[in-house]
Amino acid sequence: MFLRGLSRTRPGLHMITTSQLLFRPTLKSFMSTEVRKAIEDAVASAPVVLFMKGTPEFPQCGFSRATIAMLGQQGVNPAKFAAYNVLEDPELRDAIKEFSNWPTIPQLYVNKEFVGGCDVITTMATSGELADVLEEADALMPQQEEGKDSSQYSQFQ
Amino acid sequence: MGVVGGSSFSRLATISRSFVLNKMSQQLNQRIDGPAFTAVKNKLVSNLIGLQSLEIYNDSYKHVGHSGVAASPNKNESHLRLEIVSDSFEGLTLPSRHRMIYKLINDEITKYGIHSIQLKTKTASEQSR
């Protein structure tokens, strides 16, 4: 998803990866305005946004997997959720760390606000704080039908 | 009979020696006295104000073969877990606490290529709860 957005704004981006290596230090310390804009758009693309390794269906890191599972357990509405795979895009992977001032993946945003990484989310899920944050963002599945829980979870598996 | 006993004994000895060797090589990615984790520990001990307890765990052995680590030269100290008790966390939100620690050990993370850090950050009163 992100990849498509990026390649729309910056055509031919993926053809310059070798020369990119040479400029890596510059890229790291000064994120280009285009990349910043792309990340801002991504963060605003849904009420709940997760930057992760792999996809919700196939997480490629235990911590991303755990985070997805927790969001599923909280009953996050898939319609209000967007996930971006940082492994698809090395530039996003570096830039999101600088953007959030957070060195690790996964990273969760709710209503454009940075919430935390896996450990923060685990702690918040245990304390009930995560449910409050998601509730406030109106990001949870409607609760009217009971016994539908398992099908809600399965959308995140 | 004596010969049979001897040969099975020597096989037993071989098995137990290879077991010991395995155990030793396994320990490398479970030990916390490697260069990277020692550097992290020293940084935190000398720089984190109000540090009351610091526990370091090496979870690298749980992630052997994990795709993110496969290309990294640092395999024995790839996954670091820290449980920190310090009153300098007082009044700070969880992300700010984590950022504070990340900032302190950023040089070590980059220098040694530590792949993953798990954090538990508590104040003394939260810990005793």
Side-chain angles (χ1 to χ4, degrees):
Chain A
M1 232 187 295
F2 192 87
L3 196 71
R4 254 183 278 136
L6 258 189
S7 44
R8 221 180 293 133
T9 45
R10 304 188 63 185
L13 183 75
H14 302 285
M15 298 166 78
I16 54 163
T17 30
T18 28
S19 60
Q20 243 179 335
L21 287 175
L22 294 170
F23 299 107
R24 211 178 173 116
T26 339
L27 263 182
K28 259 197 143 168
S29 43
F30 302 101
M31 197 196 311
S32 78
T33 42
E34 283 155 314
V35 173
R36 179 172 285 278
K37 177 75 175 54
I39 293 183
E40 278 167 359
D41 289 349
V43 163
S45 64
V48 183
V49 174
L50 183 70
F51 295 91
M52 63 180 293
K53 291 182 176 173
T55 62
E57 294 78 17
F58 299 103
Q60 295 202 26
C61 158
F63 302 106
S64 290
R65 180 188 300 276
T67 307
I68 282 287
M70 277 185 280
L71 293 177
Q73 273 161 15
Q74 300 284 332
V76 169
N77 187 344
K80 301 197 170 176
F81 175 74
Y84 293 92
N85 180 3
V86 302
L87 295 180
E88 269 184 10
D89 192 327
E91 196 170 16
L92 168 65
R93 188 175 173 176
D94 282 342
I96 189 66
K97 294 178 182 177
E98 190 190 330
F99 183 88
S100 312
N101 185 21
W102 194 266
T104 53
I105 314 284
Q107 297 181 8
L108 181 72
Y109 279 82
V110 174
N111 277 346
K112 296 193 253 180
E113 288 283 328
F114 178 78
V115 178
C118 185
D119 288 332
V120 174
I121 298 162
T122 310
T123 314
M124 287 174 75
T126 318
S127 69
E129 217 179 321
L130 183 62
D132 297 343
V133 170
L134 293 169
E135 182 105 59
E136 203 177 308
D138 193 26
L140 299 178
M141 294 286 281
Q143 296 265 305
Q144 72 270 39
E145 283 176 283
E146 277 182 22
K148 276 245 171 178
D149 287 10
S150 56
S151 66
Q152 289 171 18
Y153 296 161
S154 68
Q155 301 195 48
F156 276 94
Q157 291 308 308
Chain B
M1 281 307 261
V3 179
V4 174
S7 78
S8 71
F9 172 76
S10 71
R11 203 201 298 153
L12 233 166
T14 324
I15 291 167
S16 72
R17 188 167 354 117
S18 69
F19 175 72
V20 170
L21 281 174
N22 275 338
K23 221 181 156 197
M24 279 173 69
S25 65
Q26 223 177 25
Q27 277 174 347
L28 270 182
N29 55 17
Q30 293 184 25
R31 280 161 63 159
I32 55 160
D33 56 354
F37 290 5
T38 308
V40 167
K41 181 183 155 198
N42 291 342
K43 187 53 127 354
L44 290 175
V45 166
S46 51
N47 287 281
L48 191 61
I49 300 150
L51 180 66
Q52 302 199 357
S53 153
L54 170 64
E55 286 178 38
I56 299 181
Y57 300 88
N58 188 346
D59 285 342
S60 309
Y61 72 97
K62 296 180 186 168
H63 301 269
V64 178
H66 169 154
S67 62
V69 196
S72 161
N74 174 6
K75 290 194 179 60
N76 290 326
E77 295 178 290
S78 59
H79 288 69
L80 167 66
R81 178 154 55 95
L82 297 171
E83 295 188 8
I84 304 168
V85 180
S86 164
D87 280 340
S88 61
F89 297 139
E90 195 69 62
L92 294 180
T93 62
L94 217 44
S96 343
R97 294 177 185 192
H98 284 212
R99 278 198 179 108
M100 182 172 150
I101 301 302
Y102 286 143
K103 204 174 162 192
L104 266 179
I105 61 172
N106 188 44
D107 291 347
E108 286 73 17
I109 296 172
T110 12
K111 184 180 173 194
Y112 295 98
I114 299 174
H115 177 81
S116 146
I117 301 131
Q118 272 187 280
L119 290 175
K120 267 196 186 150
T121 47
K122 290 191 168 168
T123 62
S125 62
E126 289 165 354
Q127 177 75 1
S128 59
R129 237 176 256 163

